[in-house]
């Protein structure tokens, strides 16, 4: 069972349940957080509440492909994990040219404490088919395809989604203290297209992640990896995020990238990024230069 959000004929956001047989049922909650709160009040899991709500209703006539999907959750905050896959450690050692002895990336990959950072806020986060922006002051930019954990305020994993942690490799490579600038800007984080409820995932450590990039209608990059390659456990990442912290219902925690395009690759305006995770769907975003940036002198 997955939860989606789509634009209704009245142009408002409609939350819906998508069953594994492809049927779509409208559900009476105005956001995923609202569904979480109702489930909490009724002392139920989101899955059983949704099953109960849809059991006496009819599915809508439209198929998934006919709907205009929007952000399935409106998270106040999106956090992200870093250097949780070998691939990320290697790529970062290369871009920072710090691979002599033990770099900070080698250290954080091995350390007990994971790297966690605030990736995005609601107004910087976009959903499917909306442009992700590339920075105007960077010449080396990539998407980072990541599994996202959807959390309750108690740090419970209620669902899984897809996230794109857009990153600037030259800014981070110049100096890791520039990380917030290498990671956070307008439309630098994309989430969607659905949230698969946690109870309906057999093994979250065996999910295939595929990233494809198209340029001028041609496939110019395609690579796959599996969440089985993750160095850490999800609960470990969540427990560090919750330590001495306030976690909002519906916070998304990205779990790090396992796919990094080769050194000579950088995103360009007009590219289309697709990130697919088995059982969750395909998160597709075109790439655009942010035309509305104001350059302060
Ligand atoms: O260390 C910097 C960020 C790492 C990251 O975003 C990742 O590994 O996915
Ligand atoms: Mg990342």
């Amino acid at each position: 069972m997955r939860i989606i959000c789509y634009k209704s004929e009245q142009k408002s956001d409609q939350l819906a349940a998508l069953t594994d047989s492809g049927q779509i049922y409208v559900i009476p909650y105005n956001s995923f957080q609202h569904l979480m709160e109702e489930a909490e009040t009724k002392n139920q899991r989101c899955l059983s509440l949704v099953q109960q709500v849809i059991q006496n209703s009819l599915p809508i006539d439209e198929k998934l492909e006919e709907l205009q999907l929007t952000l399935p959750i409106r998270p106040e905050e999106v956090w992200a994990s870093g250097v949780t896959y070998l691939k990320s450690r290697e790529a970062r050692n290369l871009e920072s040219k710090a691979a002599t002895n033990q770099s900070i990336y080698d250290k954080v990959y091995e350390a007990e404490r994971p790297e966690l950072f605030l990736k995005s806020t609601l107004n910087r986060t976009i959903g499917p088919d909306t442009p992700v922006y590339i920075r105007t002051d960077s010449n080396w930019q990539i998407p980072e395809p990541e599994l996202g954990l959807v959390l309750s305020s108690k740090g419970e994993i209620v669902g899984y989604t897809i996230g794109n942690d857009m990153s600037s490799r030259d800014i981070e490579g110049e100096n890791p203290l520039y990380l917030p600038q290498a990671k956070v800007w307008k439309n630098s984080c994309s989430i969607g297209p659905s949230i698969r409820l946690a109870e309906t995932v057999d093994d979250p450590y065996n999910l295939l992640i595929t990233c494809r990039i198209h340029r001028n209608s041609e496939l110019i990059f395609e690579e796959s990896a599996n969440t089985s390659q993750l160095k850490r456990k999800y609960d470990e990442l969540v427990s560090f995020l919750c330590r001495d912290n306030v976690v909002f219902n519906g916070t998304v925690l990205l779990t790090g990238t396992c796919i990094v395009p080769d050194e000579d690759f950088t995103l360009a305006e007009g590219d289309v990024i697709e990130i697919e995770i088995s059982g969750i769907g395909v998160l597709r975003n075109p790439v655009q230069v942010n035309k509305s940036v104001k350059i302060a002198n």
Side-chain angles (χ1 to χ4, degrees):
M1 178 83 73
R2 285 178 279 172
I3 304 299
I4 55 169
C5 190
Y6 66 91
K7 278 263 171 273
S8 69
E9 273 174 24
Q10 293 74 37
K11 299 283 169 234
S12 59
D13 284 345
Q14 176 65 61
L15 207 68
L18 167 62
T19 65
D20 289 345
S21 55
Q23 289 181 312
I24 299 165
Y25 295 84
V26 162
I27 52 174
Y29 308 105
N30 49 34
S31 66
F32 189 83
Q33 284 93 328
H34 185 197
L35 163 64
M36 288 171 77
E37 283 157 19
E38 285 293 301
E40 210 175 297
T41 311
K42 297 192 161 116
N43 206 12
Q44 265 181 294
R45 309 286 303 170
C46 290
L47 178 63
S48 64
L49 180 58
V50 170
Q51 282 167 335
Q52 197 179 310
V53 162
I54 68 174
Q55 71 183 349
N56 293 319
S57 61
L58 290 172
I60 61 170
D61 293 332
E62 289 89 345
K63 299 268 165 302
L64 185 62
E65 313 73 66
E66 294 163 351
L67 298 177
Q68 186 190 338
L69 296 183
T70 60
L71 201 55
I73 185 161
R74 300 179 58 75
E76 282 195 58
E77 293 178 350
V78 177
W79 287 74
S81 320
V83 201
T84 50
Y85 290 88
L86 205 51
K87 184 81 184 183
S88 175
R89 179 176 91 166
E90 287 166 359
R92 291 187 148 81
N93 275 338
L94 184 145
E95 78 204 12
S96 72
K97 300 190 179 57
T100 45
N101 298 324
Q102 249 214 333
S103 76
I104 54 163
Y105 299 110
D106 292 326
K107 284 187 191 160
V108 80
Y109 184 76
E110 301 295 344
E112 189 198 343
R113 183 188 292 276
E115 177 198 350
L116 298 178
F117 57 94
L118 183 60
K119 165 66 190 175
S120 194
T121 50
L122 177 57
N123 49 11
R124 296 184 175 89
T125 305
I126 52 149
D129 299 311
T130 304
V132 282
Y133 290 162
I134 42 179
R135 291 190 68 107
T136 55
D137 59 355
S138 165
N139 295 313
W140 194 13
Q141 302 187 70
I142 56 161
E144 289 193 356
E146 308 192 7
L147 177 73
L149 312 176
V150 179
L151 305 179
S152 74
S153 55
K154 295 185 190 123
E156 211 189 349
I157 301 171
V158 294
Y160 297 91
T161 190
I162 304 175
N164 178 355
D165 169 23
M166 291 284 286
S167 301
S168 160
R169 295 187 72 181
D170 48 1
I171 295 179
E172 184 184 336
E174 186 181 340
N175 189 326
L177 292 179
Y178 296 154
L179 193 73
Q181 295 172 76
K183 293 290 190 180
V184 185
W185 62 90
K186 192 171 177 185
N187 290 30
S188 67
C189 178
S190 168
I191 298 285
S194 75
I195 296 161
R196 178 165 280 280
L197 295 177
E199 301 87 333
T200 68
V201 175
D202 285 342
D203 182 2
Y205 295 100
N206 185 19
L207 298 175
L208 183 70
I209 306 185
T210 302
C211 180
R212 297 182 203 93
I213 302 169
H214 301 265
R215 185 167 294 168
N216 302 322
S217 309
E218 223 181 276
L219 182 68
I220 56 162
F221 175 81
E222 180 167 18
E223 208 171 290
S224 296
N226 195 291
T227 55
S228 60
Q229 296 160 259
L230 183 70
K231 170 84 186 328
R232 300 184 184 262
K233 293 285 171 240
Y234 301 127
D235 285 345
E236 180 191 342
L237 297 173
V238 174
S239 81
F240 274 93
L241 176 66
C242 293
R243 272 193 198 183
D244 300 302
N245 201 1
V246 176
V247 174
F248 303 101
N249 249 351
T251 291
V252 174
L253 174 58
L254 304 180
T255 52
T257 191
C258 46
I259 298 174
V260 181
D262 285 343
E263 280 157 76
D264 56 358
F265 179 85
T266 188
L267 286 167
E269 173 137 45
D271 289 354
V272 177
I273 305 164
E274 282 179 3
I275 303 172
E276 181 166 7
I277 301 189
S278 40
I280 305 177
V282 181
L283 175 62
R284 188 176 294 105
N285 298 97
V287 175
Q288 205 171 287
V289 174
N290 180 9
K291 308 254 172 19
S292 65
V293 280
K294 289 196 186 75
I295 300 170
N297 289 314

